[in-house]
Amino acid sequence: MLAGKTVREFKIDDTEVVFRYPEMSDAKDLERLINSLIEEKAAITLDREQSFEEELSWLSETLKNVEKGKEIALVVEVDEKVLGSSGVRKKEGNESHVGELGILLRKGIRGKGIGEKLIKTLIKEAKKRLEIEIVTLNVYHTNEIALNLYKKAGFEEIGRLKDGAYHDDKYIDVIIMSKDLR
Ligand SMILES: CC(C)(COP(=O)(O)OP(=O)(O)OC[C@H]1O[C@@H](n2cnc3c(N)ncnc32)[C@H](O)[C@@H]1OP(=O)(O)O)[C@@H](O)C(=O)NCCC(=O)NCCS
């Protein structure tokens, strides 16, 4: 059982940061986290406030997939509060050697190196548990911070869906990136 399992712990300015698998009791923190990003119009897919029931059902599905080896999920706990969430989902059938990555952190903890550590840990964990060989992700062309992070982590742009998202009252391009783990 992986729910709640700690994968990495470190300190930033005397504050304890933990990367661990989520558990059902994280639902309230995760609801606050996703809704804070929706409120700030962050460059993520979701654009509508999530209810606690929606968050519970997403979390319970995610935990089932984690146990089945279809997905890994890591939350970021800072001072005992969940302020970040991330995961890699394994594709199916002929594409099961490919995983899709997502990562988000609450505003106050960005720019301190947590994203970079998280992406490294996620990829290591995904390679080990999901046995994937390629990681892909989608990122909006306007999301300079995420683009910089992904390039630094070894991802390269492999395609672009022009006007693939409508975000903050305008069409923007969705950039597809990948990293070969072989
Ligand atoms: C994108 C995100 C995960 C990055 O995590 P982070 O903890 O802020 O990033 P880090 O502090 O680890 O920085 C890693 C690299 O990202 C880039 N970066 C970070 N902050 C930046 C900034 N303000 N401006 C430009 N590049 C920046 C840099 O390349 C940095 O490396 P460096 O410190 O050597 O220059 C985080 O900002 C976030 O969750 N944003 C909102 C949600 C989101 O956009 N998710 C991605 C959707 S595709």
Side-chain angles (χ1 to χ4, degrees):
M1 178 119 157
L2 288 168
K5 181 184 181 323
T6 295
V7 176
R8 187 168 175 185
E9 280 173 291
F10 57 96
K11 277 196 170 167
I12 290 186
D13 307 331
D14 283 340
T15 305
E16 188 72 24
V17 181
V18 179
F19 295 163
R20 63 165 173 81
Y21 281 87
E23 50 196 346
M24 282 314 288
S25 56
D26 294 327
K28 199 71 208 166
D29 275 1
L30 285 166
E31 180 205 356
R32 285 196 195 102
L33 170 66
I34 192 64
N35 285 329
S36 77
L37 273 104
I38 289 166
E39 200 180 336
E40 64 162 294
K41 293 200 168 81
I44 57 172
T45 307
L46 289 177
D47 65 347
R48 183 183 53 79
E49 191 178 324
Q50 300 295 292
S51 67
F52 183 60
E53 287 66 34
E54 283 171 317
E55 201 55 37
L56 270 181
S57 114
W58 172 82
L59 184 56
S60 124
E61 198 55 33
T62 299
L63 291 179
K64 276 187 215 148
N65 285 337
V66 164
E67 295 307 331
K68 286 182 195 156
K70 292 180 169 185
E71 207 173 313
I72 62 153
L74 292 179
V75 295
V76 179
E77 192 183 281
V78 182
D79 274 340
E80 297 179 6
K81 278 200 189 69
V82 170
L83 301 181
S85 175
S86 65
V88 177
R89 183 176 300 188
K90 187 177 167 82
K91 294 182 85 172
E92 294 189 355
N94 291 326
E95 297 163 35
S96 58
H97 59 297
V98 180
E100 294 172 316
L101 180 145
I103 176 169
L104 53 89
L105 304 178
R106 205 166 164 147
K107 217 172 186 170
I109 62 162
R110 295 177 200 155
K112 297 170 192 280
I114 295 177
E116 196 176 341
K117 287 191 175 69
L118 183 57
I119 207 161
K120 278 191 190 144
T121 310
L122 257 184
I123 290 175
K124 203 171 153 199
E125 196 69 9
K127 203 174 166 187
K128 181 169 97 184
R129 297 202 184 273
L130 307 179
E131 298 180 340
I132 52 167
E133 296 171 22
I134 298 172
V135 191
T136 69
L137 58 84
N138 287 355
V139 54
Y140 296 174
H141 88 269
T142 45
N143 195 349
E144 199 184 325
I145 299 179
L147 279 164
N148 286 343
L149 166 71
Y150 298 145
K151 281 179 198 152
K152 203 173 171 201
F155 284 80
E156 54 180 7
E157 181 174 337
I158 51 159
R160 180 183 280 243
L161 181 60
K162 191 170 165 12
D163 293 345
Y166 189 77
H167 176 246
D168 209 9
D169 299 329
K170 52 188 178 299
Y171 284 104
I172 51 176
D173 299 349
V174 176
I175 295 177
I176 303 147
M177 301 185 93
S178 85
K179 180 179 164 88
D180 199 320
L181 309 179
R182 291 169 290 190

